[in-house]
Amino acid sequence: MQRRDFFKKAAVAAGAAALGTNSLEAGTTQQPIDNRKVSNVAFPEKRPLIMYSDRPPLLETPRDVFTSTLTPNDQFFVRWHMPDIPTHIDPDTFTISVNGLVEKELKISLNDLKTKFEQVEVAAVLQCGGNSRSAFKPIAGGIQWGSGAMGCANWKGVRLRDILDHAGLKKDAEWIGFNGSEKAAYYETPNFIRELKLEELDDHVILAYEMNGEDLPYLNGYPLRLIIPGTYSDSWVKMISNITVTNEYKHLFFMDVAYRVPDNACECETHDKRAPKTKPIHRMNVKSVIGYPTRDSVVSHKSHVVVRGVAWDDGHGIKDVMVSVDGGKTWDKALLDDGKLGRYAYRAFRYPFKPKTLGKITIMTKAINKIDQEQPLAKDIQWNHGGYKYNGIDEVTVEVV
Ligand SMILES: Nc1nc2c(c(=O)[nH]1)N[C@H]1C(S)=C(S)[C@@H](COP(=O)(O)O)O[C@H]1N2
Ligand SMILES: [Mo]
């Protein structure tokens, strides 16, 4: 739908509401906005991306990047909550502290981290819980992301478990807090700290210093960040400076207020009746995004067109991606990549076809995972006030000439 059409529709709906007939209800949705252009403002180590703010940097990856399993570092999206990010980090003097309920407090240098612990790699999707938020109607609070607040990279680092074992956990240890290195802008603003329950910690959780074979880009958390495969990225703390082990949950802003959904079966609520209880957004749901063609594409009648995109979930693994090239009337299986990067990575898919009709056609994709969870139709997506976890069937309308 064109933006202009939407405003027309919204105006009609508002008129209808005034007359007491059908109104635009909470829970009705459309597709995420996907016609924003990249910005020409340059950011270190980044190609042009869609910019929402330069301070703090909020940069989205354009949809057409999502045609392969790994997302290039220089096109990987960026999200910071605080504007005051350190502008310089010296890798020779940098240390990460481990303290709290440990037998031995640690200060580990980057060099020690890379040489004194076992090095492991995991390919995993990093997706903001608010990815695709612009699809929610009525508008949900927060950055109005299209579908590019996500990426998939091969992360290399050290198991968090190994570091904690090295420090030695005291027996009442229960929670682990992670601090980023940036500062809040005002004293009232909370620092960016996240907490993990010790029992959530498995061997896939790592402290990563490398992304796709290179140092982490500065804006993606140089020199060290947390990787928690299968979960939304709000707890993947960047530029980690400190790890503190405690026996009590601290009730911090970024844990108790942000990144939560209604604690009910549908994880839903309406704008005028908020759910009384909430829970962390936590594990990702099954989703696919079309990388090619995009809404600006023009394809030739009866030519060979290959629909491409990516699909993922929280680690159960993708079983199938179904594609429709006639607006959802008929569906067919896409071809999936070999899946060699493991269950936490994107599965890239492709679907060759020959457009048989002229004019506009709507291409749709629906991912299904190995436990048969599948993407709902966009119109069936349920609403939550934070605009989290959108995973409606993706669609792109293109012109056949
Ligand atoms: N230190 C720090 N880490 C952070 C954040 C932050 O603001 N500060 N934001 C989190 C959120 S909400 C997201 S979506 C991801 C974004 O990671 P990226 O910028 O590498 O894409 O970082 C997470 N880690
Ligand atoms: Mo996020």
Side-chain angles (χ1 to χ4, degrees):
M1 199 174 1
Q2 298 284 331
R3 288 290 280 167
R4 228 184 299 129
D5 295 346
F6 166 66
F7 286 120
K8 242 190 275 163
K9 272 216 167 154
V12 171
L19 292 171
T21 54
N22 282 347
S23 61
L24 248 191
E25 286 208 63
T28 50
T29 61
Q30 60 168 28
Q31 289 291 320
I33 296 170
D34 71 347
N35 62 346
R36 294 196 186 90
K37 297 281 173 262
V38 298
S39 158
N40 56 10
V41 177
F43 288 85
E45 303 168 277
K46 295 289 171 184
R47 290 208 244 176
L49 296 168
I50 299 162
M51 184 178 77
Y52 293 82
S53 157
D54 59 349
R55 219 169 163 262
L58 295 175
L59 308 171
E60 177 176 329
T61 305
R63 175 186 270 277
D64 61 9
V65 173
F66 301 115
T67 54
S68 57
T69 315
L70 295 173
T71 312
N73 290 5
D74 60 4
Q75 292 181 296
F76 210 97
F77 92 104
V78 173
R79 199 270 188 263
W80 288 87
H81 290 77
M82 256 65 81
D84 198 0
I85 307 166
T87 53
H88 179 79
I89 283 174
D90 179 356
D92 296 329
T93 55
F94 174 90
T95 57
I96 176 165
S97 310
V98 183
N99 47 44
L101 296 176
V102 290
E103 300 296 342
K104 172 172 69 174
E105 296 208 340
L106 306 175
K107 271 192 188 300
I108 311 171
S109 70
L110 271 183
N111 191 51
D112 282 353
L113 201 81
K114 292 179 188 179
T115 53
K116 302 206 167 137
F117 293 87
E118 188 186 341
Q119 313 298 297
V120 292
E121 282 186 50
V122 60
V125 174
L126 184 167
Q127 180 186 205
C128 179
N131 190 27
S132 310
R133 179 180 288 126
S134 60
F136 283 100
K137 290 283 165 300
I139 289 175
I143 304 153
Q144 296 301 302
W145 297 111
S147 299
M150 62 166 195
C152 176
N154 203 17
W155 310 95
K156 182 173 175 185
V158 171
R159 283 185 206 100
L160 182 57
R161 170 72 69 194
D162 293 351
I163 294 170
L164 295 178
D165 284 350
H166 189 60
L169 291 174
K170 294 214 164 134
K171 73 170 181 312
D172 49 342
E174 214 177 318
W175 289 90
I176 327 165
F178 304 91
N179 296 47
S181 307
E182 75 270 37
K183 287 197 195 67
Y186 310 103
Y187 67 88
E188 300 95 352
T189 323
N191 280 319
F192 196 83
I193 304 174
R194 299 286 303 185
E195 292 169 286
L196 256 192
K197 198 147 199 198
L198 254 178
E199 63 195 32
E200 287 172 55
L201 213 178
D202 64 30
D203 279 353
H204 302 279
V205 178
I206 66 171
L207 266 183
Y209 50 80
E210 245 181 59
M211 175 173 172
N212 295 330
E214 295 177 2
D215 285 349
L216 293 176
Y218 208 83
L219 293 173
N220 297 108
Y222 182 85
L224 267 187
R225 84 175 302 169
L226 196 60
I227 303 299
I228 315 170
T231 71
Y232 290 101
S233 52
D234 40 295
S235 292
W236 298 33
V237 177
K238 301 194 279 190
M239 258 182 212
I240 278 201
S241 58
N242 189 64
I243 299 177
T244 307
V245 181
T246 64
N247 57 4
E248 53 166 356
Y249 173 72
K250 296 259 196 258
H251 294 285
L252 300 162
F253 174 82
F254 285 107
M255 293 303 292
D256 273 8
V257 181
Y259 301 105
R260 300 178 74 91
V261 285
D263 189 4
N264 54 32
C266 63
E267 299 186 344
C268 66
E269 61 194 339
T270 56
H271 63 294
D272 50 5
K273 195 161 185 287
R274 291 265 195 105
K277 274 178 66 194
T278 61
K279 61 184 176 192
I281 55 176
H282 205 49
R283 301 198 77 82
M284 295 192 283
N285 51 25
V286 63
K287 185 163 170 177
S288 65
V289 164
I290 301 165
Y292 179 84
T294 60
R295 62 150 67 207
D296 299 325
S297 310
V298 173
V299 297
S300 297
H301 191 215
K302 295 184 180 160
S303 67
H304 183 77
V305 177
V306 184
V307 178
R308 291 174 190 277
V310 294
W312 71 99
D313 73 345
D314 66 345
H316 289 97
I318 294 299
K319 185 167 83 183
D320 282 313
V321 175
M322 305 304 293
V323 180
S324 173
V325 294
D326 56 11
K329 283 192 220 90
T330 58
W331 295 84
D332 199 4
K333 271 186 196 179
L335 302 162
L336 300 181
D337 71 10
D338 59 18
K340 268 202 207 118
L341 285 177
R343 62 197 176 101
Y344 295 117
Y346 285 151
R347 291 298 292 275
F349 64 83
R350 61 185 203 282
Y351 180 76
F353 79 108
K354 286 190 168 60
K356 293 196 184 86
T357 53
L358 287 164
K360 285 196 167 25
I361 58 166
T362 296
I363 299 169
M364 301 167 82
T365 61
K366 171 168 79 173
I368 305 169
N369 71 6
K370 290 187 174 156
I371 55 166
D372 287 320
Q373 293 169 324
E374 56 177 61
Q375 292 179 263
L377 283 166
K379 71 172 181 58
D380 295 330
I381 287 282
Q382 310 254 25
W383 194 85
N384 67 79
H385 77 273
Y388 295 120
K389 300 181 82 166
Y390 180 87
N391 73 333
I393 288 178
D394 201 24
E395 65 178 69
V396 173
T397 298
V398 300
E399 187 89 29
V400 183
V401 297

